[in-house]
Amino acid sequence: MVGRRSGEFRSEVLGHANAAELEEVIDCATLEGTVVDSDEWKGYNGLPRMGRVRVTVDHWGPKSTWARDDDGDGVREVHCDTQEGIWTHVRDFLRRFYGVSEWYLARYQAVFQWGFEIKSVTDEFLRVLLGRPPSMDSAP
């Protein structure tokens, strides 16, 4: 999931791609009233029952239906492009490993999410990551 306004990205490896697991993840990661843009997969049908607003795009139709302008301002704000773009990055990230064991997939996913979310790498961050004590040198 990715928050369109917040920019927050959350990913998780699920045991099954079914409605029950999807609903559990969405329930834990979103607030009631959240608008969820999705395609027409029936696994999302339970979201209104959970208090989420579901808006859909039709990926089976012509390209003009892949994104919608519901408020008439000329911006097609209903789409799944943000999440689909992230999955392109995930595939590119995993490709370099020439096959990923299902056993380790959650670990690869965690590394990808960490790398995707990191906005800047500071000296202090690197010291903590490498287990090094703070430098006594006053120079940067």
Side-chain angles (χ1 to χ4, degrees):
M1 283 180 273
V2 62
R4 192 88 41 82
R5 288 192 185 113
S6 69
E8 267 189 70
F9 168 62
R10 294 187 185 178
S11 63
E12 184 177 335
V13 176
L14 301 177
H16 303 295
N18 61 33
E21 286 206 36
L22 174 70
E23 288 177 11
E24 183 178 333
V25 169
I26 289 176
D27 191 40
C28 291
T30 64
L31 300 172
E32 197 167 317
T34 297
V35 176
V36 177
D37 293 11
S38 74
D39 58 18
E40 293 182 319
W41 181 53
K42 65 182 180 177
Y44 293 101
N45 288 348
L47 297 185
R49 177 179 33 80
M50 300 169 45
R52 292 357 180 235
V53 178
R54 177 183 180 205
V55 292
T56 62
V57 292
D58 176 13
H59 282 163
W60 292 101
K63 283 189 176 185
S64 63
T65 65
W66 293 2
R68 294 194 338 247
D69 175 17
D70 284 355
D71 59 9
D73 65 355
V75 176
R76 294 176 156 205
E77 61 277 334
V78 179
H79 61 80
C80 301
D81 296 346
T82 308
Q83 186 65 44
E84 290 173 2
I86 290 173
W87 281 117
T88 298
H89 292 297
V90 170
R91 284 191 304 273
D92 289 346
F93 171 76
L94 294 175
R95 188 172 291 127
R96 71 187 76 174
F97 300 108
Y98 301 103
V100 175
S101 166
E102 187 176 318
W103 181 260
Y104 296 110
L105 184 57
R107 292 178 180 109
Y108 284 111
Q109 170 271 328
V111 169
F112 174 82
Q113 182 167 337
W114 171 79
F116 188 85
E117 289 181 344
I118 194 165
K119 302 301 180 208
S120 65
V121 177
T122 64
D123 289 343
E124 181 60 25
F125 170 79
L126 290 173
R127 279 197 270 293
V128 170
L129 182 67
L130 298 172
R132 308 282 274 176
S135 174
M136 300 306 283
D137 183 13
S138 60

